Amino acid sequence: MDRENEEHVYINEEPNSHDVRTGRQISTTHQTPGSSETTEQLQCVQVLLCVVLLTALIVLGTNYTQETHQLQSDNTNLINERDALLSKNNDLIKERNACRHDFFKENNGWIYNHSSFYYISSEKKSWNESRRYCTERGADLIIINNKEEQDFVQKNINRRSLFWIGLTDIDEEGSWKWVDGSTPTFRFWKSKEPNGQRGENCAVVHSTVWADYRCSLAYLWICEKNILM
């Protein structure tokens, strides 16, 4: 190789060379074609993804808010419908009770009080006959469960008369039971009553108290028909 060619090779191997005419340095560093364009494309993709995600979040948030409002509205409507039905049901119950009250009171002499109808007789029968009269009409001799019912009886009877009630110890002496088999939780026995032992196994109400008498005697009676559902 001649000297001129050697110098040419040497110059090409220099990382930087100078232009002999202008004296400016010539860069021999090479850039990868399209590298700046790829970076810009990546940035564009990232921005696009951010926009898509943000849009999706906004849409989801809007749908959630709308669904929440719809559920709240539906719940309010259901509550209103429930209250309307309850109100209507209460009105129907009042109408039913009023009809029954009028029917029994006007046509059969029955008195309505606290979900029960009461029949106060005007004739006299034995305890068994009195009970039969009640059961034939879908009722039974009265069961007095509390003071309020005792007070109701006192206000509607002739206190000078005796009225059979649905209380007896005929099955077991000394074990007083109501006609439905329950044991009295409230007692209004007269002082020293019951005292009839085996001879007096049925109870009457007289004035404000109870007493035991022979079941075969004829007295007035009180029937009770409970309509509580």
Side-chain angles (χ1 to χ4, degrees), residues 36-75:
S36 59
E37 296 177 357
T38 302
T39 301
E40 292 178 356
Q41 291 175 352
L42 289 174
Q43 292 175 346
C44 290
V45 171
Q46 292 174 347
V47 172
L48 181 60
L49 287 175
C50 290
V51 171
V52 172
L53 289 174
L54 181 60
T55 303
L57 290 174
I58 293 173
V59 171
L60 289 174
T62 302
N63 291 339
Y64 176 79
T65 302
Q66 292 175 345
E67 290 177 1
T68 300
H69 290 163
Q70 184 63 45
L71 288 173
Q72 291 175 343
S73 177
D74 292 343
N75 184 59

Side-chain angles (χ1 to χ4, degrees), residues 1-211:
M1 180 180 298
D2 57 19
R3 183 176 180 81
E4 184 180 354
N5 289 335
E6 289 179 358
E7 290 178 356
H8 179 73
V9 172
Y10 176 79
I11 291 173
N12 287 338
E13 291 178 353
E14 290 289 334
N16 294 297
S17 60
H18 290 79
D19 189 324
V20 177
R21 290 175 297 175
T22 62
R24 289 184 294 182
Q25 189 176 16
I26 300 174
S27 175
T28 59
T29 304
H30 298 281
Q31 294 184 351
T32 303
S35 60
S36 59
E37 296 177 357
T38 302
T39 301
E40 292 178 356
Q41 291 175 352
L42 289 174
Q43 292 175 346
C44 290
V45 171
Q46 292 174 347
V47 172
L48 181 60
L49 287 175
C50 290
V51 171
V52 172
L53 289 174
L54 181 60
T55 303
L57 290 174
I58 293 173
V59 171
L60 289 174
T62 302
N63 291 339
Y64 176 79
T65 302
Q66 292 175 345
E67 290 177 1
T68 300
H69 290 163
Q70 184 63 45
L71 288 173
Q72 291 175 343
S73 177
D74 292 343
N75 184 59
T76 301
N77 292 336
L78 288 173
I79 291 174
N80 292 335
E81 291 178 6
R82 179 204 63 187
D83 293 341
L85 288 173
L86 288 174
S87 177
K88 185 176 181 179
N89 184 62
N90 290 334
D91 292 340
L92 291 173
I93 290 174
K94 291 178 181 178
E95 291 179 9
R96 178 204 64 189
N97 291 341
C99 290
R100 289 180 174 178
H101 175 267
D102 294 340
F103 175 79
F104 278 92
K105 183 176 181 180
E106 295 178 5
N107 297 290
N108 300 287
W110 292 73
I111 302 173
Y112 178 77
N113 182 65
H114 291 299
S115 300
S116 289
F117 287 101
Y118 300 87
Y119 176 81
I120 300 175
S121 74
S122 57
E123 57 181 320
K124 296 181 180 181
K125 295 179 181 292
S126 68
W127 189 88
N128 287 327
E129 291 173 339
S130 298
R131 187 180 184 192
R132 185 179 302 111
Y133 178 95
C134 297
T135 56
E136 287 176 351
R137 289 157 180 79
D140 210 331
L141 287 172
I142 186 174
I143 297 174
I144 302 175
N145 288 312
N146 49 57
K147 187 177 184 302
E148 288 75 18
E149 194 166 21
Q150 173 75 6
D151 292 341
F152 168 77
V153 170
Q154 293 172 14
K155 291 178 182 179
N156 288 277
I157 64 173
N158 182 342
R159 296 191 178 187
R160 291 176 295 179
S161 301
L162 302 177
F163 292 82
W164 289 123
I165 61 176
L167 187 61
T168 179
D169 70 341
I170 195 169
D171 292 331
E172 181 182 352
E173 176 61 31
S175 179
W176 289 88
K177 302 284 186 181
W178 291 112
V179 287
D180 66 353
S182 62
T183 301
T185 55
F186 293 87
R187 296 173 176 83
F188 300 93
W189 291 109
K190 183 179 179 180
S191 178
K192 298 182 180 181
E193 295 281 351
N195 60 6
Q197 298 182 356
R198 294 187 180 277
E200 299 178 349
N201 299 115
C202 296
V204 299
V205 59
H206 171 61
S207 183
T208 61
V209 293
W210 303 345

